[in-house]
Structure formats: C-alpha cells, structure tokens
Amino acid sequence: TMETRPVIGFLFSKKRKYKIFVDTTVENNFGILVSEVPLDAKIGLFGHEFAHILDYENKSFFELMKIGRTYLTKGDIRSYETFIDQLTIQRCLGLYLKAWSDFVLNHSNASEEYKNYKRKNYLTPEEIQKSIDLISKFNN
C-alpha cells in the first residue's frame, strides 16, 4: 500500500531526502488503496512510514544497503518491520497502528496472499495491543 525509501542521490549527504510511494492501483486485488482506508487506520499507516524515516536518519549508507538487501532477498523482514512497528507505538500511534493492522487483516478486500504477508512480517492487532499495554504499564 505504501513504501518509504531514501532518494538514491541523497544517501551520501547529511541531509537525506525520502520518497513515500503510494499504490494507486491494486493488481488482482492484491493490496489496498489508501483511499479505501478509514482515517484512524490511515494515520497508523502513515505513522509506520514516518517511523521508517526516523530509523533511516540514524543509519549509515551501509546500514541502509543492508536493509535494502533484506527486502531484495526476502530475508528477515519481520524483525525489521517489528522494530518499525515498535517505533510507531512508542510515538503514541499504537492505537492507530492497531486500527491499520485490524483493517488490513479483518475488514479489507485485500487478497489472502497480501493478508498472509502482513501477518508474517508485521505485528498483528493483538501483538500491537500487548505492546501498548506494556508501555502503559511502565508509564504509570
């Protein structure tokens, strides 16, 4: 549905630029159009993508290349996306992220293949809620 990447020419500079790619068509009903996403879930989706930018800002060129290689080789995407989901939750966007995950898995018209990819590589609504509860417990 969305993807955030550093702009290649700016990878070496101190002031990096990023592009957020938004799907405008859904091939064979595989994914989800942003225009179909409820507002609270949309906030969670954008929050997740902005968390990628926060993470990228702290990475060296070689660390960014390692992340890119993970996606190209279908490596351990889950651990990285879980880290990004946790960054999103830590910035008080957990309920919105949960709304996004719940929408994708339980209310969207996305294909089962897309839903299975999301279940495999991202936190589920239940896992997000556990993280929210844990953070709340430590903040009280």
Side-chain angles (χ1 to χ4, degrees):
T1 305
M2 293 181 80
E3 182 180 351
T4 302
R5 292 187 213 152
V7 174
I8 299 293
F10 286 89
L11 279 175
F12 298 102
S13 72
K14 289 185 181 183
K15 283 193 168 193
R16 292 184 181 148
K17 289 188 179 182
Y18 303 91
K19 282 191 178 183
I20 297 178
F21 296 89
V22 179
D23 287 343
T24 57
T25 61
V26 175
E27 298 291 327
N28 301 319
N29 207 29
F30 180 75
I32 300 168
L33 294 175
V34 173
S35 61
E36 299 172 349
V37 179
L39 180 60
D40 57 342
K42 203 177 288 187
I43 293 168
L45 171 60
F46 276 88
H48 174 92
E49 295 306 320
F50 290 141
H52 275 289
I53 293 172
L54 284 172
D55 180 55
Y56 295 159
E57 282 291 295
N58 295 314
K59 299 267 190 255
S60 70
F61 170 79
F62 294 106
E63 289 170 322
L64 289 172
M65 291 298 103
K66 183 178 178 185
I67 292 169
R69 187 180 69 220
T70 297
Y71 285 92
L72 288 173
T73 62
K74 296 184 173 44
D76 190 12
I77 295 170
R78 171 123 179 129
S79 65
Y80 181 65
E81 288 297 344
T82 295
F83 171 74
I84 296 300
D85 280 345
Q86 292 294 345
L87 279 178
T88 307
I89 294 164
Q90 291 167 7
R91 276 149 183 82
C92 300
L93 294 172
L95 291 176
Y96 297 109
L97 184 65
K98 179 181 172 187
W100 163 244
S101 181
D102 180 60
F103 175 75
V104 170
L105 299 177
N106 301 314
H107 305 287
S108 75
N109 292 322
S111 69
E112 281 305 309
E113 183 181 357
Y114 183 78
K115 291 177 182 182
N116 287 335
Y117 176 82
K118 291 294 190 181
R119 279 185 203 98
K120 178 182 173 190
N121 292 303
Y122 297 82
L123 294 179
T124 64
E126 296 77 21
E127 292 169 320
I128 293 166
Q129 187 61 55
K130 285 180 185 177
S131 289
I132 292 168
D133 293 346
L134 188 61
I135 288 171
S136 294
K137 185 178 179 180
F138 283 109
N139 288 336
N140 289 331

